[in-house]
Amino acid sequence: MPLDATASGLFPIAPTPFTPDGAIDHGSVETLIGRYLAAGATGVTVLGIMGEAPKLEPEEALALTARFIKGFGALPVIVGVSAPGFAAMRALARTVTERGAAGVMIAPPPALRTDDQITGYYRQAVEAIGSDIPFVIQDYPLTLSVQMTPKVIRQIVEENPSCVMLKHEDWPGLEKISALRGFQEEGTMRPISILTGNGGLFLDFEMERGADGAMTGYAFPEMLGDVVRLQREGRREEAHDLFDAHLPLLRYEQQQGVGLAVRKYVLMRRGFIASDAQRKPAPALSVAARAEVDYLLARLARQDERARL
Amino acid sequence: MPLDATASGLFPIAPTPFTPDGAIDHGSVETLIGRYLAAGATGVTVLGIMGEAPKLEPEEALALTARFIKGFGALPVIVGVSAPGFAAMRALARTVTERGAAGVMIAPPPALRTDDQITGYYRQAVEAIGSDIPFVIQDYPLTLSVQMTPKVIRQIVEENPSCVMLKHEDWPGLEKISALRGFQEEGTMRPISILTGNGGLFLDFEMERGADGAMTGYAFPEMLGDVVRLQREGRREEAHDLFDAHLPLLRYEQQQGVGLAVRKYVLMRRGFIASDAQRKPAPALSVAARAEVDYLLARLARQDERARL
Amino acid sequence: MPLDATASGLFPIAPTPFTPDGAIDHGSVETLIGRYLAAGATGVTVLGIMGEAPKLEPEEALALTARFIKGFGALPVIVGVSAPGFAAMRALARTVTERGAAGVMIAPPPALRTDDQITGYYRQAVEAIGSDIPFVIQDYPLTLSVQMTPKVIRQIVEENPSCVMLKHEDWPGLEKISALRGFQEEGTMRPISILTGNGGLFLDFEMERGADGAMTGYAFPEMLGDVVRLQREGRREEAHDLFDAHLPLLRYEQQQGVGLAVRKYVLMRRGFIASDAQRKPAPALSVAARAEVDYLLARLARQDERARL
Amino acid sequence: MPLDATASGLFPIAPTPFTPDGAIDHGSVETLIGRYLAAGATGVTVLGIMGEAPKLEPEEALALTARFIKGFGALPVIVGVSAPGFAAMRALARTVTERGAAGVMIAPPPALRTDDQITGYYRQAVEAIGSDIPFVIQDYPLTLSVQMTPKVIRQIVEENPSCVMLKHEDWPGLEKISALRGFQEEGTMRPISILTGNGGLFLDFEMERGADGAMTGYAFPEMLGDVVRLQREGRREEAHDLFDAHLPLLRYEQQQGVGLAVRKYVLMRRGFIASDAQRKPAPALSVAARAEVDYLLARLARQDERARL
């Protein structure tokens, strides 16, 4: 089933599990899928920045995607297809769609600056991949250095009917969610799904501002799913209590450069993946850092049983 | 008394209080000084980025500095003297030193890239201001876009005897503290004071890695001072408990662009300053954002009496 | 007389002459003014980036401006007033206007990215300095890292009646001139003056695309003025012949970082200023580089008598 | 024969010829090879930035490389292998080497800042591709935003015996060549080949500073080869005369973003390739721009017969 604007809940950004010698660990891929489903995932995103997509060979990327599509069954799989050229983007987008992906995610290239450059890029991208493939805008200025205003996002949405979702990870970004929902209320933008990233650092309030869920890779996807659910049920205090209990670890994971190392280490300790190996080039976690993560896990376990290892 | 490498504890980064029409609010300056001293400040830093220094007229900057020097008495006042030209840097550094400042803080200009450019810049800066004025390196890549390795910092320290302190706000930065303390232990760098910034986001672990204290502007300086003290007394669990209680608000304050608006709003609500006005250009806090801060304050008050307003 | 949208011809960007010990060389200021007038300048711009404005003390900047205003008599003097805060921008803009400046030039701060941020900034700036002071947009992405589309420039022009000129130094930028003149022709933007920068590297074609003249600091302002005049008289081949003769030297001057050193060296050799000293921090010209410039001057002298030294 | 440190002369950066519908134009590849050889090329570089490498499918890139290797016979073909991950870099480097490439070129990823990051990256890259493959450092700060000092380049050369060449396109960069040749003279760096890029904008003086030749894509490779040869024969005036005749066009080609469009247009007009098509996304050349290029070609033809079309 193709992705549409009603998507919500928890879409983990899947890391790519590697063995210590750098091969894809297919066994861990299966484990990961099982754990995500058990955690309440309503979809999943593969080949994102945190999935080390640029380090995969093309055939590896396709094989990995196929496993997630199979494992997630009827649930939507979104595939990152950002590429320097439209030919490669088109080839990947069409191939994964044929194989069952529900939609694709497109990040703007870092050189884009002006509003016209950004909206023009998405028009060209849709022309390239075809307007029949639902797509997600990735709005991640901290890493991509491209800044999209709410008006630019609205223009992309309005110009491209196949745009169904925003992966929101601007920072700060709470006002952006409010502005986009305001556009919808005043009738100047059709509804889209907004899932939020940034490791979840502002998920507590993002849900209150109108987000539909989380699309990020924090090593406790269960917590992300719970906060989304609690907020949608109006159980605000419980949502914040749970979120706050995780914040010290979540904050620790939110370090540019070493963040993925922390995330994979925790996922390994939790049994989601067998090894925390990354493909080179990648920073390693020091002994001191691992001890700090262990300490944070131990403290978290007092409030959330799932952190007891 | 000039600043030296034994400095430690809590050095708040002082905001500049303005009245709603943009004038400096001298009454609030006095209140702020009193509250900082009551919070256990062991020094203070003025004319920093969060002090809106570039928006002050030269005479305003000097007058403000003079009030802090008077108010802090024997405690050290550090003055930000970063400037595009060395003539202006020298003039400001020498003037404030004559009037009683304990040291100055120098940030590298954003265009610097290579190790040689950075070390060369600090040599020239010291030549300009004179080697008799103790100075602090400001290492803040996220905002300044200049990246200094531990080796570069060591070279600056070794080449310039008047360098006595590092304001550490690299992110991630825990390994950098460990590397610098490692240099000291192996005898390849003389000891310096390391105070940490970034709003305190990693203060809990920074102290464990070897920092001497905090130099940042979080709106509860008492918490920063307490965490520094608790960690130095070896009361690790208490330090983390207190820190974690503040983390949701602290994280909220840590938003590029609107962070200072959040900080001033909390300081205003706490009675440290009379108005949260900033000089233009400056982003304002939305009604929703203020409500979120109020909510975080109310939640914090359950664990820390000082947040009860 | 205030600057208006009919301004054209040659507005040199004036360097600030210093003595070798870093003081302003007032004698050279007078010489420079005389040489600019003799070269056919129809105006002048002071306190720009190449005028080392950020390295001047406020009183020095005002004194320098006053000398140019006096020396240029009825001809317009434009003053760079870019500043981190609007209070300082307003103070400088109003002071120099009272003292006879014809207009001010405002560059966008480097952090601006989106169209709305840029247009919003100019609205706020005009509110700050007052709508009675004519102003020039400085569009210089290579150094300022802010990219303005033709539509953004049009919006600034349309929203702010006091905007009378564009200092165009986008690179590449020929299409931008055509686009802006196209807006005028179709009646969607009122006419403005467009003077071009970038050291003159594309002046030959910029005039053909619709520029009104040059505002830049190449060390042979006479050539800039001649090319502007020849193109306006329709003497295309002569314009290109003269331009091409200068291009090897002009290209050599167009080196980020050392460009001003080259420019000041040539101006010194030509007797426009007594010393090529810059205020620190500034790169020096190597012996080899000076020899290369001398060689280029000697070659140029075969085609342009004015290069015979 | 593997590339070594004695390489010199003219290594054109080959564009990838496309048909108007975006397919690789293999006929034009053969023509291009023939014209390069006729122009005196002593080698060639493929899959560079100006070869639109990121827009090629992996198999296309290999096929293109194979044709150049075959066409150049005993002359060295250098292959750009820069990639986000070392696995892909290794795969491409080893494959093209097995198929006859003489060496590979490696650009640093844009995020690198400090000296240690840069030297560490090259160490890891050599570990990945193997120390038996000769490699070229690409030093291109304007596009890659990585700044390498002469000392950093020396360290890379000294740490990695397989480093045999620097593609020098720093800007300004004349002093860098002098510094590197100075290291060789004082015996602190073993000799390497230095070929220069930047479209040739400073080739006249780069040869005088000690460069061994040109590695760039200006649409008149014959001129580049001639200037290299004339300078090596000590015929300085002739070298500058020829260079200066081409400078107006060469400068026009040197426009970020549209430069490749200009280059391909001239190559098409000269019969090197059949179409000036680029793969999307790519900027097009306006009618006015094409007319300007035609005009420059006509002017150039008065001094260089080869521009007569």
Side-chain angles (χ1 to χ4, degrees), chain B residues 197-226:
Chain B
N198 267 324
L201 195 61
F202 291 89
L203 181 62
D204 47 349
F205 290 111
E206 285 162 346
M207 288 307 297
E208 301 179 9
R209 294 290 187 115
D212 295 302
M215 186 196 286
T216 192
Y218 176 54
F220 282 83
E222 305 91 325
M223 183 279 278
L224 302 173
D226 287 350

mmCIF file of all heavy atoms in Angstrom, chain B residues 197-226:
data_model
loop_
_atom_site.group_PDB
_atom_site.id
_atom_site.type_symbol
_atom_site.label_atom_id
_atom_site.label_comp_id
_atom_site.label_asym_id
_atom_site.label_seq_id
_atom_site.Cartn_x
_atom_site.Cartn_y
_atom_site.Cartn_z
ATOM 1 N N GLY B 197 30.772 25.117 28.618
ATOM 2 C CA GLY B 197 29.642 25.925 28.183
ATOM 3 C C GLY B 197 28.512 25.081 27.626
ATOM 4 O O GLY B 197 28.068 24.143 28.261
ATOM 5 N N ASN B 198 28.048 25.448 26.423
ATOM 6 C CA ASN B 198 26.943 24.730 25.776
ATOM 7 C C ASN B 198 25.697 24.698 26.638
ATOM 8 O O ASN B 198 24.938 23.719 26.592
ATOM 9 C CB ASN B 198 27.360 23.292 25.435
ATOM 10 C CG ASN B 198 27.911 23.190 24.024
ATOM 11 O OD1 ASN B 198 27.442 23.875 23.116
ATOM 12 N ND2 ASN B 198 28.914 22.373 23.841
ATOM 13 N N GLY B 199 25.491 25.717 27.432
ATOM 14 C CA GLY B 199 24.306 25.787 28.265
ATOM 15 C C GLY B 199 24.286 24.751 29.375
ATOM 16 O O GLY B 199 23.311 24.640 30.115
ATOM 17 N N GLY B 200 25.352 23.973 29.477
ATOM 18 C CA GLY B 200 25.431 22.963 30.530
ATOM 19 C C GLY B 200 24.949 21.584 30.087
ATOM 20 O O GLY B 200 24.862 20.665 30.914
ATOM 21 N N LEU B 201 24.701 21.395 28.823
ATOM 22 C CA LEU B 201 24.026 20.184 28.340
ATOM 23 C C LEU B 201 24.765 18.880 28.682
ATOM 24 O O LEU B 201 24.154 17.814 28.758
ATOM 25 C CB LEU B 201 23.803 20.277 26.825
ATOM 26 C CG LEU B 201 22.827 19.286 26.207
ATOM 27 C CD1 LEU B 201 21.432 19.436 26.789
ATOM 28 C CD2 LEU B 201 22.753 19.467 24.691
ATOM 29 N N PHE B 202 26.061 18.970 28.890
ATOM 30 C CA PHE B 202 26.830 17.771 29.257
ATOM 31 C C PHE B 202 27.625 17.978 30.551
ATOM 32 O O PHE B 202 28.585 17.259 30.813
ATOM 33 C CB PHE B 202 27.775 17.372 28.110
ATOM 34 C CG PHE B 202 27.044 16.856 26.914
ATOM 35 C CD1 PHE B 202 26.607 17.716 25.919
ATOM 36 C CD2 PHE B 202 26.735 15.503 26.804
ATOM 37 C CE1 PHE B 202 25.897 17.250 24.817
ATOM 38 C CE2 PHE B 202 26.024 15.022 25.711
ATOM 39 C CZ PHE B 202 25.609 15.896 24.720
ATOM 40 N N LEU B 203 27.199 18.956 31.347
ATOM 41 C CA LEU B 203 27.966 19.297 32.547
ATOM 42 C C LEU B 203 28.150 18.100 33.466
ATOM 43 O O LEU B 203 29.203 17.944 34.103
ATOM 44 C CB LEU B 203 27.278 20.446 33.295
ATOM 45 C CG LEU B 203 27.980 20.913 34.561
ATOM 46 C CD1 LEU B 203 29.373 21.456 34.247
ATOM 47 C CD2 LEU B 203 27.162 21.984 35.283
ATOM 48 N N ASP B 204 27.121 17.246 33.544
ATOM 49 C CA ASP B 204 27.205 16.092 34.448
ATOM 50 C C ASP B 204 28.456 15.259 34.169
ATOM 51 O O ASP B 204 29.235 14.940 35.083
ATOM 52 C CB ASP B 204 25.923 15.233 34.351
ATOM 53 C CG ASP B 204 25.479 14.937 32.922
ATOM 54 O OD1 ASP B 204 26.026 15.549 31.974
ATOM 55 O OD2 ASP B 204 24.582 14.095 32.741
ATOM 56 N N PHE B 205 28.684 14.947 32.898
ATOM 57 C CA PHE B 205 29.852 14.133 32.558
ATOM 58 C C PHE B 205 31.119 14.954 32.362
ATOM 59 O O PHE B 205 32.227 14.441 32.545
ATOM 60 C CB PHE B 205 29.557 13.288 31.317
ATOM 61 C CG PHE B 205 28.574 12.186 31.576
ATOM 62 C CD1 PHE B 205 27.306 12.210 31.030
ATOM 63 C CD2 PHE B 205 28.923 11.119 32.419
ATOM 64 C CE1 PHE B 205 26.396 11.196 31.288
ATOM 65 C CE2 PHE B 205 28.015 10.102 32.677
ATOM 66 C CZ PHE B 205 26.742 10.136 32.120
ATOM 67 N N GLU B 206 30.957 16.212 31.970
ATOM 68 C CA GLU B 206 32.149 17.055 31.792
ATOM 69 C C GLU B 206 32.944 17.136 33.092
ATOM 70 O O GLU B 206 34.178 17.091 33.083
ATOM 71 C CB GLU B 206 31.749 18.451 31.312
ATOM 72 C CG GLU B 206 31.342 18.470 29.833
ATOM 73 C CD GLU B 206 30.552 19.696 29.419
ATOM 74 O OE1 GLU B 206 30.068 20.439 30.304
ATOM 75 O OE2 GLU B 206 30.384 19.901 28.210
ATOM 76 N N MET B 207 32.220 17.247 34.214
ATOM 77 C CA MET B 207 32.923 17.297 35.507
ATOM 78 C C MET B 207 33.688 15.996 35.745
ATOM 79 O O MET B 207 34.794 16.013 36.270
ATOM 80 C CB MET B 207 31.917 17.546 36.637
ATOM 81 C CG MET B 207 31.340 18.951 36.676
ATOM 82 S SD MET B 207 32.584 20.278 36.697
ATOM 83 C CE MET B 207 33.417 19.939 38.264
ATOM 84 N N GLU B 208 33.088 14.878 35.348
ATOM 85 C CA GLU B 208 33.745 13.585 35.565
ATOM 86 C C GLU B 208 34.955 13.399 34.653
ATOM 87 O O GLU B 208 35.865 12.632 34.970
ATOM 88 C CB GLU B 208 32.730 12.449 35.350
ATOM 89 C CG GLU B 208 31.536 12.565 36.290
ATOM 90 C CD GLU B 208 30.482 11.480 36.099
ATOM 91 O OE1 GLU B 208 30.743 10.521 35.339
ATOM 92 O OE2 GLU B 208 29.410 11.595 36.715
ATOM 93 N N ARG B 209 34.951 14.110 33.544
ATOM 94 C CA ARG B 209 36.088 14.018 32.627
ATOM 95 C C ARG B 209 37.242 14.944 33.021
ATOM 96 O O ARG B 209 38.309 14.894 32.432
ATOM 97 C CB ARG B 209 35.643 14.366 31.200
ATOM 98 C CG ARG B 209 34.657 13.381 30.575
ATOM 99 C CD ARG B 209 35.317 12.045 30.250
ATOM 100 N NE ARG B 209 34.421 11.182 29.506
ATOM 101 C CZ ARG B 209 34.641 10.779 28.240
ATOM 102 N NH1 ARG B 209 35.735 11.147 27.614
ATOM 103 N NH2 ARG B 209 33.771 9.999 27.637
ATOM 104 N N GLY B 210 36.970 15.838 33.981
ATOM 105 C CA GLY B 210 38.077 16.676 34.433
ATOM 106 C C GLY B 210 37.872 18.171 34.316
ATOM 107 O O GLY B 210 38.814 18.936 34.541
ATOM 108 N N ALA B 211 36.655 18.602 34.003
ATOM 109 C CA ALA B 211 36.417 20.042 33.963
ATOM 110 C C ALA B 211 36.511 20.626 35.368
ATOM 111 O O ALA B 211 36.321 19.921 36.369
ATOM 112 C CB ALA B 211 35.045 20.330 33.354
ATOM 113 N N ASP B 212 36.807 21.940 35.420
ATOM 114 C CA ASP B 212 36.923 22.618 36.715
ATOM 115 C C ASP B 212 35.646 23.342 37.106
ATOM 116 O O ASP B 212 35.557 23.867 38.217
ATOM 117 C CB ASP B 212 38.062 23.638 36.658
ATOM 118 C CG ASP B 212 39.406 22.975 36.470
ATOM 119 O OD1 ASP B 212 39.763 22.139 37.320
ATOM 120 O OD2 ASP B 212 40.086 23.261 35.468
ATOM 121 N N GLY B 213 34.707 23.386 36.188
ATOM 122 C CA GLY B 213 33.481 24.093 36.519
ATOM 123 C C GLY B 213 32.725 24.474 35.272
ATOM 124 O O GLY B 213 33.005 23.969 34.187
ATOM 125 N N ALA B 214 31.744 25.363 35.474
ATOM 126 C CA ALA B 214 30.845 25.745 34.380
ATOM 127 C C ALA B 214 30.982 27.224 34.077
ATOM 128 O O ALA B 214 31.062 28.049 34.989
ATOM 129 C CB ALA B 214 29.402 25.431 34.771
ATOM 130 N N MET B 215 30.985 27.546 32.778
ATOM 131 C CA MET B 215 30.902 28.938 32.356
ATOM 132 C C MET B 215 29.830 29.003 31.273
ATOM 133 O O MET B 215 30.104 28.872 30.084
ATOM 134 C CB MET B 215 32.226 29.436 31.794
ATOM 135 C CG MET B 215 32.163 30.946 31.489
ATOM 136 S SD MET B 215 33.491 31.522 30.429
ATOM 137 C CE MET B 215 34.863 31.499 31.574
ATOM 138 N N THR B 216 28.604 29.180 31.768
ATOM 139 C CA THR B 216 27.495 29.199 30.821
ATOM 140 C C THR B 216 26.330 29.922 31.461
ATOM 141 O O THR B 216 26.409 30.325 32.625
ATOM 142 C CB THR B 216 27.144 27.754 30.369
ATOM 143 O OG1 THR B 216 26.258 27.813 29.261
ATOM 144 C CG2 THR B 216 26.526 26.966 31.508
ATOM 145 N N GLY B 217 25.244 30.079 30.703
ATOM 146 C CA GLY B 217 24.217 31.012 31.142
ATOM 147 C C GLY B 217 22.884 30.409 31.493
ATOM 148 O O GLY B 217 21.906 31.141 31.606
ATOM 149 N N TYR B 218 22.816 29.083 31.663
ATOM 150 C CA TYR B 218 21.525 28.464 32.008
ATOM 151 C C TYR B 218 20.841 29.254 33.110
ATOM 152 O O TYR B 218 21.486 29.711 34.064
ATOM 153 C CB TYR B 218 21.762 27.012 32.445
ATOM 154 C CG TYR B 218 20.513 26.294 32.920
ATOM 155 C CD1 TYR B 218 19.377 26.227 32.123
ATOM 156 C CD2 TYR B 218 20.482 25.682 34.169
ATOM 157 C CE1 TYR B 218 18.231 25.570 32.569
ATOM 158 C CE2 TYR B 218 19.352 25.012 34.619
ATOM 159 C CZ TYR B 218 18.221 24.967 33.814
ATOM 160 O OH TYR B 218 17.091 24.324 34.254
ATOM 161 N N ALA B 219 19.529 29.368 33.008
ATOM 162 C CA ALA B 219 18.795 30.298 33.851
ATOM 163 C C ALA B 219 18.688 29.874 35.319
ATOM 164 O O ALA B 219 18.116 30.603 36.128
ATOM 165 C CB ALA B 219 17.406 30.539 33.249
ATOM 166 N N PHE B 220 19.218 28.700 35.639
ATOM 167 C CA PHE B 220 19.336 28.307 37.052
ATOM 168 C C PHE B 220 20.818 28.109 37.377
ATOM 169 O O PHE B 220 21.299 26.980 37.492
ATOM 170 C CB PHE B 220 18.567 27.005 37.340
ATOM 171 C CG PHE B 220 17.090 27.181 37.476
ATOM 172 C CD1 PHE B 220 16.279 27.234 36.356
ATOM 173 C CD2 PHE B 220 16.500 27.343 38.737
ATOM 174 C CE1 PHE B 220 14.908 27.401 36.475
ATOM 175 C CE2 PHE B 220 15.123 27.512 38.859
ATOM 176 C CZ PHE B 220 14.325 27.546 37.727
ATOM 177 N N PRO B 221 21.542 29.221 37.542
ATOM 178 C CA PRO B 221 22.981 29.073 37.830
ATOM 179 C C PRO B 221 23.223 28.276 39.115
ATOM 180 O O PRO B 221 24.253 27.622 39.247
ATOM 181 C CB PRO B 221 23.467 30.524 37.952
ATOM 182 C CG PRO B 221 22.239 31.357 38.135
ATOM 183 C CD PRO B 221 21.133 30.626 37.455
ATOM 184 N N GLU B 222 22.247 28.298 40.020
ATOM 185 C CA GLU B 222 22.407 27.524 41.259
ATOM 186 C C GLU B 222 22.599 26.054 40.943
ATOM 187 O O GLU B 222 23.403 25.365 41.593
ATOM 188 C CB GLU B 222 21.148 27.658 42.148
ATOM 189 C CG GLU B 222 20.731 29.068 42.486
ATOM 190 C CD GLU B 222 19.731 29.640 41.474
ATOM 191 O OE1 GLU B 222 19.864 29.306 40.276
ATOM 192 O OE2 GLU B 222 18.853 30.405 41.907
ATOM 193 N N MET B 223 21.844 25.527 40.007
ATOM 194 C CA MET B 223 21.989 24.117 39.646
ATOM 195 C C MET B 223 23.382 23.855 39.120
ATOM 196 O O MET B 223 24.031 22.867 39.498
ATOM 197 C CB MET B 223 20.935 23.718 38.607
ATOM 198 C CG MET B 223 20.962 22.244 38.237
ATOM 199 S SD MET B 223 22.233 21.749 37.023
ATOM 200 C CE MET B 223 21.440 22.200 35.480
ATOM 201 N N LEU B 224 23.871 24.719 38.230
ATOM 202 C CA LEU B 224 25.209 24.520 37.679
ATOM 203 C C LEU B 224 26.233 24.470 38.806
ATOM 204 O O LEU B 224 27.096 23.587 38.857
ATOM 205 C CB LEU B 224 25.563 25.650 36.705
ATOM 206 C CG LEU B 224 24.621 25.850 35.507
ATOM 207 C CD1 LEU B 224 25.017 27.126 34.738
ATOM 208 C CD2 LEU B 224 24.648 24.641 34.580
ATOM 209 N N GLY B 225 26.124 25.434 39.719
ATOM 210 C CA GLY B 225 27.061 25.477 40.841
ATOM 211 C C GLY B 225 26.952 24.231 41.707
ATOM 212 O O GLY B 225 27.961 23.679 42.158
ATOM 213 N N ASP B 226 25.727 23.766 41.920
ATOM 214 C CA ASP B 226 25.530 22.570 42.764
ATOM 215 C C ASP B 226 26.130 21.331 42.104
ATOM 216 O O ASP B 226 26.760 20.505 42.784
ATOM 217 C CB ASP B 226 24.031 22.333 42.996
ATOM 218 C CG ASP B 226 23.438 23.347 43.962
ATOM 219 O OD1 ASP B 226 24.220 24.109 44.585
ATOM 220 O OD2 ASP B 226 22.196 23.399 44.080
#
